[in-house]
Amino acid sequence: MALLHQMQAQYPFGHGELNEMSNARLSRKVQTGSIKMSNGVELPLFGLGTWLADSPEELELALKVALDAGYRYFDTAVQYNNEHIIGKVLEKYFQSGSLKRSDVFITSKLPFYGHRPEDAERHIERSLKRLRVDYIDLYLLHGPYPCKVDGKGDLLQDEDGKPIPDLIPHIDTWRAIGVSNFNQEQIHDLYNQAEIPPHNLQSKDEAELKGALEAAIDAGYRYIDTATLYQNEHIIGEFLEEKFNSGKLKRSDIFITSKLSLLDHSPEKTDKNIQESLKKLRIDYIDLYLIHGPWPFKNFAFGPGQQSEVDLVPHIDTWRVLEKYYKLGKLKSIGLSNFNQQQIQAVYDQAEIKPQNLQSKDEAELKGALEAAIDAGYRYIDTATLYQNEHIIGEFLEEKFNSGKLKRSDIFITSKLSILDHSPEKADKNIQESLKKLRTDYIDLYLIHGPCPFKNFAFGPGQQSEVDLVPHIDTWRVLEKYYKLGKLKSIGLSNFNQQQIQAVYDQAEIKPQNLQVDFFS
């Protein structure tokens, strides 16, 4: 069901609903904008990715529903092994007159074992044949790591079973117009040598992110969460600089969190990473800076047969660099993300400046992690109905309140409405249950966890999820009710896109006060 999960943001449904929805021809169509690439071609901002779609039956059905729902952008690749299925479905639509070729935007990609010029030409011709089209709208080099193949096209491997790199200059492969998963330096080298420069980098959607930021800021959002890993700090920085320069925002109006890459835990790399984050974000300081996780790597491999190499850097060595920039005023608060109890305690015991925030979802060790976090000075706790741990947090906090070690006003709690509880009746019950489980009279920030409501959500083989077509504003009215009652001090949205935010904002009596989203694609 991997492909179907990708469609949930706009049309969440189970396998059974797909037939019913497709046969009924959805009356609700996807509304999507586009962005103009450097060659003038309009690239749709919303489409269907087909990675991990390994079932022909499922993919055909998903494509049919997507097309009937108004999807016009389809992303595939040689390595996805599904171009022939997409071609078969599209051909039926073209022949029936339901669609013209010009109505559909198709992206495909050259595999890492096809970088030699003669191989690249062969793969492009085969993709055209499998897709049953005369042209492909956007064709990308799928990655910057070419590997050698034998005369039959099979991967050559060394004695350890690893693919053998093929040292082909990227410019020699450059026959198509786009790159995917290339880093900045690789793009720059290619761009400088290309007769026709890349028209598209497939990775981080700059237009969509800037649009989402615009809508969020206009709606009153003032907290932005990013990370080196998300590769979008530069976009956020450009956007915020424009706002600051225009006088529409002051730096002090915005709270920015960023995080250290798992590839940069060595002190030298950590130092460089922090400086680069400040430079990309175009700011003098970061409000909260976290070590993104406790697993440092020297390199992180994605290609088949490749191996990641662990970097055995003590956490405290990395922490010392954060302390340095904290003292310089460049990092206003510093903390840990996704560390377990023992890892938190180890840093805490050796730290000169104790961690000031813990961002964690480790349910198994939650009580221990909470204990270490509170002792370390953490005062912000993020949970959700979905996490199924509100009762643990509630028990823990009640003990602290009763002991006099904490007051309720010392703690800021965020929780979120389940995707199963968007109907007004269920939303009402969910909020009451969250308050009861958390053993609190109010929740500081309460969010609708996502824009895709379900009546039931199935994980088991052959089981079906059932979508619940509840208007977002109907759910929002319940949050407004509890806001007025003082039970929810602030209310907001999580993982909503620009259009969805705007739709709620336009109809809301009490405007969303926070958008929680990791801006990466």
Side-chain angles (χ1 to χ4, degrees), residues 335-402:
L336 308 172
S337 176
N338 300 308
F339 278 54
N340 65 26
Q341 182 183 355
Q342 291 79 8
Q343 293 161 337
I344 296 166
Q345 193 65 50
V347 174
Y348 183 83
D349 289 342
Q350 302 174 75
E352 177 186 354
I353 299 164
K354 305 303 182 185
Q356 294 149 327
N357 172 278
L358 170 65
Q359 191 183 59
S360 177
K361 297 175 182 176
D362 190 340
E363 182 176 354
E365 299 174 332
L366 180 55
K367 274 204 171 180
L370 283 166
E371 186 71 51
I374 292 298
D375 289 345
Y378 295 76
R379 295 298 182 264
Y380 174 47
I381 297 173
D382 181 277
T383 184
T385 300
L386 179 67
Y387 304 164
Q388 298 182 17
N389 60 18
E390 290 175 315
H391 62 291
I392 303 172
I393 295 168
E395 290 174 11
F396 174 85
L397 288 177
E398 188 177 57
E399 292 173 7
K400 293 294 179 182
F401 298 152
N402 290 341

Side-chain angles (χ1 to χ4, degrees), residues 58-231:
E58 179 186 303
L59 178 54
E60 283 192 32
L61 188 54
L63 286 164
K64 185 179 179 184
V65 170
L67 285 162
D68 290 349
Y71 288 69
R72 295 297 181 263
Y73 175 34
F74 299 92
D75 181 277
T76 184
V78 172
Q79 285 176 254
Y80 300 169
N81 294 317
N82 58 24
E83 289 176 317
H84 62 291
I85 303 171
I86 295 168
K88 177 183 174 183
V89 173
L90 289 178
E91 188 177 58
K92 289 180 181 178
Y93 276 76
F94 297 152
Q95 290 179 351
S96 70
S98 301
L99 287 174
K100 303 190 297 292
R101 172 62 185 91
S102 57
D103 294 331
V104 177
F105 193 101
I106 302 171
T107 295
S108 194
K109 312 177 194 76
L110 182 73
F112 64 92
Y113 47 81
H115 277 225
R116 290 192 171 275
E118 59 275 14
D119 293 335
E121 290 183 17
R122 185 176 70 253
H123 280 295
I124 292 170
E125 289 174 358
R126 288 178 177 176
S127 287
L128 287 164
K129 185 176 180 180
R130 286 191 291 260
L131 288 165
R132 307 188 189 192
V133 292
D134 296 325
Y135 65 90
I136 296 170
D137 299 271
L138 176 61
Y139 196 79
L140 309 174
L141 306 186
H142 207 164
Y145 34 79
C147 295
K148 290 183 178 181
V149 294
D150 60 20
K152 298 178 181 179
D154 296 325
L155 272 177
L156 291 174
Q157 299 179 334
D158 61 20
E159 57 186 13
D160 296 322
K162 299 180 182 178
I164 301 173
D166 199 2
L167 302 179
I168 303 167
H170 295 139
I171 193 63
D172 290 354
T173 314
W174 187 247
R175 294 292 182 270
I177 319 298
V179 293
S180 175
N181 300 312
F182 277 49
N183 64 32
Q184 186 174 357
E185 183 178 351
Q186 293 162 335
I187 296 164
H188 185 70
D189 289 344
L190 185 57
Y191 189 89
N192 286 339
Q193 300 175 70
E195 177 185 354
I196 303 170
H199 294 152
N200 172 276
L201 171 64
Q202 189 193 56
S203 182
K204 311 304 161 208
D205 193 330
E206 180 172 351
E208 184 175 355
L209 175 53
K210 282 194 174 181
L213 285 166
E214 187 73 50
I217 292 297
D218 288 347
Y221 296 82
R222 295 297 183 265
Y223 173 48
I224 296 173
D225 182 282
T226 185
T228 300
L229 177 68
Y230 305 163
Q231 297 181 22

Side-chain angles (χ1 to χ4, degrees), residues 251 278 281-286 328-331:
R251 173 62 186 92
L278 287 162
L281 288 166
R282 305 189 184 194
I283 53 180
D284 295 325
Y285 65 89
I286 296 171
L328 291 171
K330 298 295 184 180
L331 307 177

